[in-house]
Amino acid sequence: MPPGSSRAVTPLDDDDYPAYTMGRAADMLGTTPAFLRALGEHRLITPLRSEGGHRRYSRYQLRIAARARELVDQGTPIEAACRIIVLEDQLEEAQRINEQMRTQGPQSQSKTSA
C-alpha cells in the first residue's frame, strides 16, 4: 500500500497475535514441538491456547524461540539459553530507560522529585 493510504488493521498486523499452531511454529523454526514445549516449561514463552486447548504462538514469541534455538545450536544448555534471553531483554529495557532519561535531561528529573 502507498504511504498515507489507510487500510484496515487486522490481528495479523499485531506481533502478539497468536497466529501460529505449534506444528507450524516448529516448522518455521526448523525445530520440534518438544523444543517449543521445553521453552514453555522454562517460562521463556507462554503460548496462548485455542478454544480447543492447542498452543498458539505469536510472531514475537517465534523471534524469542529462534534466539533460543540459535543459542542451543551453539551448545548452550536450554536452561542457560532461556536465562540469557531474559537477561538480554532486561539489559535492552534498562538501556532504553537510560537513554530516555539522558535525552530528557536534568530539568525533567527535578520536576518529578518536586
Side-chain angles (χ1 to χ4, degrees), residues 7 9 13 18 20 25 32 48-51 60 68 82-84 106 110:
R7 69 175 178 88
V9 176
D13 294 323
Y20 304 98
T32 64
L48 291 171
R49 298 282 181 151
S50 68
E51 289 182 20
Y60 175 73
C82 292
R83 185 67 181 139
I84 288 168
S110 62

Side-chain angles (χ1 to χ4, degrees), residues 77-98:
I78 194 164
E79 301 85 9
C82 292
R83 185 67 181 139
I84 288 168
I85 293 166
V86 168
L87 291 171
E88 287 174 342
D89 188 52
Q90 289 172 348
L91 175 60
E92 185 179 311
E93 178 67 9
Q95 289 173 331
R96 186 190 62 74
I97 291 168
N98 192 21

